[in-house]
Amino acid sequence: MNTDTNPNLAAGAALWLDEAAIGILRQDLLRFARMQLRDPAAAEDVVQEALSAAYATREHFNGQAQVKTWVFSILRNKILDQIRFGVRHPTQSLTREDGSDEDVESQFDEHGYWHKERRPSRWGDPEETLANEQFWRILEICLHAMPENIARVFTMREMLDLETNEICEQLAISESNCWVILHRARSRLRLCLENNWVRSEQTSC
Amino acid sequence: MLSCKQASQMMSQKLDRPLSTRERTALWLHLSMCSGCRKYNEQMKFMRKVFMRLKE
């Protein structure tokens, strides 16, 4: 195999990472890709491509700390390319009402106030949550439980860091529609985390 | 006076665009009286942090 394009064989390169660091970085990249692409094989492919592309340009790094940022920016662009391709070949309409917001709607009474028993609860310490592997697994499941058309807008905003005017341009929707979709996505994700992470934590203590 | 549903929409949009002075005031007033929405607001901030952390 050609070592110039194989980052896994690059342990000796001074500005590249050792094998253990590559392993950790690869897991972070895979999680990031899986949350957006939903297809584990496609996520593996895009991560391998990003690592290879970063390795091929490794002489541009000033140090190892930059490697992660660099690889992530390559990965972001590759995922964005795939999303753009998907938008031109849509499988789901972005504005179709899928009736799946009932759970979110039923949190409110007829006047738009929280039902007492469905009021948002106190979530635990943020840093403790972020350090918990189970939380990240549940987050991934919750993202995948979202309809793909809503999740796409959400991940473009929160994971690819696009502004809403860029998203609506890419997807040919109005900016106000984009805000509505993002609110639906956040509400659903919040509810899913509350039901599956927060409440399960509370009952297990 | 905003309902919780309207306040939740505003707390989401706050992450995507600058709110007007009128909107900020209405939201502040609602949050000062509604503990459910204050928790919702914390959760929105936390979720933003989650996705930042993923890329660090």
Side-chain angles (χ1 to χ4, degrees), chain A residues 101 104 107 114 123 139 142-143 146 150-151 153-159 162-164 167 178-194, chain B residues 8-17 40-41 43-45 47-48 51:
Chain A
D101 286 325
V104 170
Q107 297 177 104
W114 299 110
W123 290 8
L139 177 70
C142 285
L143 271 175
M146 236 188 253
I150 296 175
V153 177
F154 181 73
T155 57
M156 285 171 95
R157 177 79 186 111
E158 299 291 343
M159 299 181 76
L162 298 180
E163 295 297 330
T164 48
I167 298 172
C178 198
W179 291 327
V180 171
I181 293 169
L182 285 168
H183 174 238
R184 287 167 64 186
R186 292 187 181 112
S187 301
R188 292 177 62 116
L189 187 58
R190 188 203 78 79
L191 193 59
C192 184
L193 289 174
E194 180 136 306
Chain B
S8 77
Q9 286 162 1
M10 227 171 255
M11 287 184 271
S12 171
Q13 292 196 12
K14 193 163 63 126
L15 300 170
D16 303 318
R17 66 172 177 92
Y40 186 96
N41 200 31
Q43 293 165 3
M44 289 293 119
K45 285 189 207 159
M47 289 205 290
R48 170 88 13 128
F51 291 100

Side-chain angles (χ1 to χ4, degrees), chain A residues 29-48 75 79 82-83 140 143-144 148 151:
Chain A
L29 294 164
L30 270 176
R31 171 162 278 161
F32 185 80
R34 270 201 317 265
M35 283 187 183
Q36 299 176 78
L37 296 178
R38 297 186 172 213
D39 172 0
E44 292 265 356
D45 287 349
V46 79
V47 165
Q48 198 56 38
L75 181 61
I79 291 173
Q82 295 209 2
I83 289 173
E140 207 173 315
L143 271 175
H144 290 175
E148 198 169 355

Side-chain angles (χ1 to χ4, degrees), chain A residues 33-202:
Chain A
R34 270 201 317 265
M35 283 187 183
Q36 299 176 78
L37 296 178
R38 297 186 172 213
D39 172 0
E44 292 265 356
D45 287 349
V46 79
V47 165
Q48 198 56 38
E49 280 176 32
L51 277 169
S52 298
Y55 181 67
T57 53
R58 65 193 178 284
E59 66 272 18
H60 300 306
F61 305 141
N62 287 326
Q64 294 200 349
Q66 282 193 355
V67 175
K68 188 173 180 181
T69 314
W70 178 239
V71 182
F72 258 100
S73 75
I74 295 174
L75 181 61
R76 269 204 200 92
N77 285 328
K78 288 191 179 292
I79 291 173
L80 195 53
D81 283 345
Q82 295 209 2
I83 289 173
R84 286 194 184 114
F85 180 81
V87 169
R88 286 196 298 271
H89 303 82
T91 52
Q92 265 188 320
S93 156
L94 203 57
T95 48
R96 185 172 55 96
E97 193 47 67
D98 54 19
S100 51
D101 286 325
E102 270 171 40
D103 283 355
V104 170
E105 288 297 318
S106 69
Q107 297 177 104
F108 300 105
D109 65 20
E110 69 272 28
H111 305 294
Y113 292 92
W114 299 110
H115 277 300
K116 198 172 175 211
E117 69 281 7
R118 311 216 50 187
R119 213 177 277 162
S121 62
R122 187 175 299 285
W123 290 8
D125 177 69
E127 287 306 318
E128 262 175 46
T129 303
L130 292 171
N132 190 312
E133 189 50 35
Q134 179 68 4
F135 168 76
W136 292 98
R137 275 197 288 271
I138 292 172
L139 177 70
E140 207 173 315
I141 292 166
C142 285
L143 271 175
H144 290 175
M146 236 188 253
E148 198 169 355
N149 49 355
I150 296 175
R152 188 195 298 141
V153 177
F154 181 73
T155 57
M156 285 171 95
R157 177 79 186 111
E158 299 291 343
M159 299 181 76
L160 302 176
D161 302 321
L162 298 180
E163 295 297 330
T164 48
N165 61 349
E166 296 171 290
I167 298 172
C168 62
E169 200 176 299
Q170 298 274 345
L171 303 181
I173 55 175
S174 72
E175 198 167 16
S176 60
N177 195 357
C178 198
W179 291 327
V180 171
I181 293 169
L182 285 168
H183 174 238
R184 287 167 64 186
R186 292 187 181 112
S187 301
R188 292 177 62 116
L189 187 58
R190 188 203 78 79
L191 193 59
C192 184
L193 289 174
E194 180 136 306
N195 289 340
N196 296 291
W197 163 251
V198 184
R199 295 204 194 280
S200 71
E201 278 289 285
Q202 283 169 350

Side-chain angles (χ1 to χ4, degrees), chain A residues 8-27:
Chain A
N8 297 325
L9 296 178
L15 292 176
W16 193 241
L17 305 167
D18 62 31
E19 222 161 290
I22 285 278
I24 294 168
L25 176 59
R26 202 164 176 282
Q27 288 310 312

